[in-house]
């Protein structure tokens, strides 16, 4: 019996060492360890799988993996993901463009519609690869992708250029443009302008700040609190309303907005980025001061939709708080790091099989690792 009790104690101890780091790893250990875990858990010969969705693949996953490969200087993984993506998701032969089919499952493309967020991140990873490894072939492909995005995934309304979430979205509803604020990536757009000279990319950055700023002020007839919805729609007169059939809360799509805007602020110092981040930060600061927590979903008037907490939402909140100078940033970072789990050389956030959270939550630690 004593041996059995000791064995149980040893097993529990081992489990606790896997599930919670006794001494939190450093930013560089988190970044490198989380990449090691990501490669092992989600990438299979260049295909990025989602264990929680039956091991299917989405184009955003390939783009996330490629972007991360460049940042980690892992050319082997980058080239494997690029080769698989071009072989299985490219719409070159089926649609005549260089966009990516959105969904792959059971050995085949099951939805050939492109998603512009994935196409944008895909192109950005190719530009970074060309600069990191001094290989012009990556840039050549990136320019083709960029041309396809501008041709098929943008539309103009009242003199303003909008990013469409998918090709043909301009005709999805009569006289209405579906919009996903988290698809706007102003730092990417600046880079695309640098490599293409096409000013439409700067117009898209302008539209992103215009749309996000308006949504932070008010949405769906209610005064805003600084948050933005996952989805919305813009009509011919420029009015913004909920998009039927899509989420209108600050949730799993729009959580990317603070991360994207913080990246642009770090790179460009754009005052519009700081204004957006300050409004996000003011909300998160009040929420954390009042509840000691930040939840994963909110109505855009600030009401919590549930009481679930998640590492990715702490990562986004920290990006906004730190960029806009709120003192609560350090406490929120501590909460984020409390979700880090470690097993040997591998680190992950919260759930080792959660592809989406582990695709993005590490970004703020990468910034810390790269600080002088």
């Amino acid at each position: 019996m004593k041996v059995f009790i000791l064995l149980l104690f040893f097993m529990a101890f081992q489990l606790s060492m896997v599930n919670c780091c006794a001494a939190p790893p450093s930013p560089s250990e988190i970044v490198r360890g989380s990449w090691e875990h990501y490669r092992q858990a989600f990438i299979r010969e260049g295909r990025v799988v989602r264990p929680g969705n039956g091991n299917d693949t989405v184009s955003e996953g390939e783009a996330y993996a490629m972007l991360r490969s460049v940042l980690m200087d892992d050319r082997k993984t980058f080239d494997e993901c690029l080769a698989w993506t071009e072989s299985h998701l490219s719409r070159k032969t089926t649609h005549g463009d260089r966009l990516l089919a959105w969904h792959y499952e059971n050995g085949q493309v099951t939805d050939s519609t492109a998603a512009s967020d994935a196409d944008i991140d895909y192109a950005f990873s190719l530009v970074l690869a060309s600069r990191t490894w001094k290989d012009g072939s990556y840039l050549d492909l990136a320019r083709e992708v960029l041309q396809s995005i501008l041709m098929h995934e943008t539309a103009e309304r009242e003199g303003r250029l909008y990013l469409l979430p998918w090709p043909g979205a301009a005709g999805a509803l009569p006289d209405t443009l579906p919009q996903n604020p988290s698809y706007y990536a102003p730092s990417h757009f600046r880079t695309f302008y640098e490599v293409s000279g096409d000013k439409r990319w700067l117009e898209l950055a302008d539209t992103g700040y215009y749309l996000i700023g308006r949504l932070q002020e008010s949405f769906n007839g209610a005064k805003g609190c600084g948050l933005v919805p996952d989805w919305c729609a813009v009509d011919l007169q420029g009015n913004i309303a909920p998009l039927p059939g899509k989420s209108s809360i600050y949730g799993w799509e729009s959580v990317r907005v603070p991360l994207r805007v913080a990246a642009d602020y770090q790179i460009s110092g754009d005052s519009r980025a700081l204004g957006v981040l300050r409004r996000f930060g003011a909300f998160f600061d009040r929420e954390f001061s009042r509840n000691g927590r930040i939840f994963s979903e909110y109505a855009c008037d600030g009401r919590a939709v549930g009481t679930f907490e998640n590492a990715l939402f702490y990562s986004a909140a920290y990006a906004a708080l730190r960029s806009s100078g709120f003192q609560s940033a350090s406490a929120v970072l501590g909460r984020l790091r409390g979700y880090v789990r470690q097993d040997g050389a591998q680190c992950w956030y919260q759930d080792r099989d959660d592809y989406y959270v582990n695709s993005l939550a590490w970004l703020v630690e990468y910034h810390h690792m790269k600080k002088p």
Side-chain angles (χ1 to χ4, degrees):
M1 178 60 72
K2 289 182 178 179
V3 172
F4 179 69
I5 292 173
L6 287 172
L7 180 60
L8 287 178
F9 176 80
F10 176 76
M11 292 173 63
F13 175 76
Q14 289 292 96
L15 184 62
S16 70
M17 291 300 291
V18 170
N19 287 339
C20 184
C21 307
S26 67
S28 62
E29 289 173 331
I30 293 174
V31 170
R32 298 183 190 285
S34 63
W35 175 233
E36 180 65 23
H37 169 73
Y38 199 85
R39 288 194 303 111
Q40 295 294 327
F42 304 119
I43 305 177
R44 302 177 183 176
E45 298 181 340
R47 182 165 82 94
V48 180
V49 302
R50 302 191 299 178
N53 293 76
N55 290 324
D56 67 343
T57 296
V58 290
S59 53
E60 73 172 25
E62 295 299 311
Y64 289 154
M66 289 172 61
L67 178 57
R68 201 163 179 180
S69 297
V70 180
L71 296 178
M72 299 306 297
D73 198 18
D74 185 343
R75 190 170 185 177
K76 179 177 182 295
T77 301
F78 182 92
D79 285 340
E80 289 174 352
C81 291
L82 174 59
W84 189 91
T85 300
E86 283 296 303
S87 295
H88 296 86
L89 301 185
S90 174
R91 302 184 354 151
K92 182 177 181 180
T93 58
T94 58
H95 293 73
D97 58 48
R98 296 316 302 259
L99 306 177
L100 302 178
W102 171 75
H103 194 250
Y104 178 96
E105 191 173 20
N106 297 325
Q108 62 183 345
V109 170
T110 53
D111 189 341
S112 63
T113 306
S116 62
D117 64 324
D119 298 327
I120 286 166
D121 287 336
Y122 179 54
F124 187 63
S125 75
L126 289 164
V127 174
L128 291 190
S130 73
R131 294 177 172 179
T132 300
W133 298 311
K134 313 302 180 186
D135 187 333
S137 65
Y138 297 129
L139 184 57
D140 292 339
L141 177 55
R143 285 175 170 148
E144 292 183 32
V145 177
L146 295 179
Q147 279 297 110
S148 291
I149 294 171
L150 289 174
M151 182 177 297
H152 300 289
E153 295 180 327
T154 63
E156 189 172 320
R157 287 288 187 274
E158 296 295 313
R160 186 176 294 279
L161 189 65
Y162 287 88
L163 179 69
L164 300 177
W166 63 83
L173 294 171
D175 303 326
T176 300
L177 290 181
Q179 290 287 280
N180 187 315
S182 74
Y183 285 17
Y184 286 88
S187 62
H188 291 21
F189 298 160
R190 294 181 200 279
T191 299
F192 297 161
Y193 171 68
E194 291 173 7
V195 301
S196 70
D198 196 319
K199 291 185 177 180
R200 285 178 289 179
W201 292 112
L202 299 182
E203 292 178 33
L204 287 173
D206 292 342
T207 299
Y209 282 122
Y210 164 79
L211 180 66
I212 292 167
R214 284 191 60 186
L215 289 167
Q216 286 186 307
E217 292 175 359
S218 64
F219 178 65
N220 198 21
K223 183 179 179 181
C225 66
L227 301 180
V228 300
D230 289 336
W231 292 87
C232 64
V234 178
D235 67 19
L236 289 176
Q237 291 72 44
N239 301 310
I240 302 176
L243 180 63
K246 294 289 189 178
S247 166
S248 294
I249 64 172
Y250 173 78
W252 294 93
E253 298 272 354
S254 50
V255 68
R256 295 177 291 188
V257 173
L259 294 170
R260 289 199 187 274
V261 174
D264 189 44
Y265 182 60
Q266 292 164 14
I267 292 169
S268 71
D270 194 316
S271 61
R272 297 172 299 179
L274 181 58
V276 167
L277 294 167
R278 279 176 173 166
R279 290 189 287 272
F280 269 114
F283 173 80
F284 293 133
D285 184 66
R286 288 193 304 269
E287 186 71 3
F288 193 72
S289 298
R290 181 169 58 242
N291 298 320
R293 297 185 291 172
I294 292 172
F295 301 122
S296 299
E297 295 177 324
Y298 291 91
C300 288
D301 62 4
R303 291 177 294 107
V305 174
T307 58
F308 179 69
E309 296 172 74
N310 185 273
L312 179 54
F313 286 78
Y314 278 107
S315 182
Y318 172 73
L321 290 164
R322 184 187 182 280
S323 298
S324 48
F326 285 92
Q327 292 185 352
S328 56
S330 59
V332 170
L333 178 62
R335 185 63 62 87
L336 169 64
R337 287 175 173 168
Y339 286 101
V340 175
R341 307 291 183 258
Q342 188 174 30
D343 185 6
Q346 296 188 24
C347 287
W348 61 91
Y349 289 89
Q350 201 154 347
D351 181 347
R352 68 192 310 159
D353 290 331
D354 192 322
Y355 135 85
Y356 187 61
V357 169
N358 283 285
S359 291
L360 297 171
W362 64 280
L363 284 166
V364 297
E365 295 295 356
Y366 181 80
H367 169 73
H368 278 280
M369 185 182 79
K370 288 296 182 179
K371 280 196 308 184

